[in-house]
Amino acid sequence: ESVTSAIGREQAFAYIADWSRQAEWDPNTISSKQIGDGAPAVGSRYALEVKFGNRSAPMDYRITELDAPSRLVLIGEGKGIWTEDILTFTEDGDGTRVDYEAEIKLSGLLGLVQPLLGRQFDAIGQGVVVGLQRELDAIAAQPADPTS
């Protein structure tokens, strides 16, 4: 999935790399918060509460690769689920293109039904794209800070 916005690449990267803001743009995330302090970096950890159908479950995410402002990789783990989220940021005219790839692996009983969940995973991806587009466009529309 990809999103293109008028926002600058550095600003888009800084916003998305702060995974504590993930609930702002992912409609499947109820809450997200950083575990510990500091700017996003390799090893930074985040606690998320995510929706699975009519249930919610905790997931722990950690940044495994951060090459600002070009690439961000996170691993997410929860009971019966493992994800790898790969985001790449490229200049696109006066804006930025964000490519988002998520690999999801289910285990246990969930793993048995994973082949049947393709449409549901597609819907999750579409919700993320819509949310990212909305938030990045809103940031891009804000007036520039004259002091910077």
Side-chain angles (χ1 to χ4, degrees):
E1 304 289 341
S2 66
V3 171
T4 302
S5 179
I7 190 171
R9 187 165 70 143
E10 289 80 9
Q11 193 175 15
F13 187 91
Y15 174 73
I16 295 172
D18 181 359
W19 212 245
S20 68
R21 301 185 77 163
Q22 202 250 11
E24 295 174 9
W25 49 265
D26 185 342
N28 302 293
T29 301
I30 298 165
S31 66
S32 54
K33 65 179 181 177
Q34 185 172 356
I35 300 169
D37 296 321
V42 171
S44 293
R45 295 181 49 231
Y46 302 87
L48 277 65
E49 186 72 21
V50 297
K51 294 181 206 173
F52 288 111
N54 59 359
R55 296 181 170 183
S56 68
M59 285 191 70
D60 292 321
Y61 276 82
R62 72 184 180 287
I63 296 176
T64 58
E65 184 179 336
L66 189 146
D67 180 16
S70 302
R71 184 174 161 91
L72 175 68
V73 180
L74 299 101
I75 299 292
E77 296 178 289
K79 185 175 181 182
I81 186 168
W82 177 94
T83 67
E84 180 178 49
D85 296 62
I86 301 170
L87 297 100
T88 55
F89 301 76
T90 53
E91 291 180 3
D92 188 271
D94 290 334
T96 301
R97 176 183 167 125
V98 180
D99 291 296
Y100 191 145
E101 178 185 343
E103 179 181 355
I104 301 170
K105 293 181 182 177
L106 303 177
S107 61
L109 293 176
L110 291 174
L112 298 175
V113 298
Q114 183 166 355
L116 306 174
L117 299 175
R119 284 192 178 134
Q120 289 169 318
F121 287 156
D122 289 344
I124 290 169
Q126 285 303 308
V128 168
V129 166
V130 168
L132 264 179
Q133 187 77 62
R134 180 190 66 241
E135 294 302 318
L136 293 178
D137 287 349
I139 294 167
Q142 294 175 359
D145 183 353
T147 61
S148 58

